[in-house]
Amino acid sequence: MTSALGPHAAFILASYAAVVVVLGGLVLSVLLDHRSQKRALAELERRGAGRRSGKEPS
């Protein structure tokens, strides 16, 4: 397979691997931040803070 990529096969494969690692890290970061934000929102709501979007304007 690598012979089909020519003399730069190692660079090409390393580049694809780097992209997979970076994108995986970004997805993981977003998922962890989402969980953190959900926990923070639940804590605020538990303490009595409400959401403005659910109220009628006065």
Side-chain angles (χ1 to χ4, degrees):
M1 174 180 163
T2 56
S3 62
L5 297 176
H8 304 292
F11 175 78
I12 294 168
L13 294 175
S15 297
Y16 275 106
V19 168
V20 168
V21 168
V22 168
L23 287 178
L26 288 171
V27 167
L28 182 63
S29 172
V30 167
L31 291 174
L32 292 174
D33 185 58
H34 177 70
R35 284 179 45 189
S36 173
Q37 295 299 323
K38 281 179 67 175
R39 271 195 303 266
L41 181 59
E43 177 63 22
L44 285 171
E45 288 180 340
R46 187 187 66 76
R47 286 194 277 160
R51 297 185 189 190
R52 287 190 223 168
S53 62
K55 294 183 180 179
E56 293 287 324
S58 50

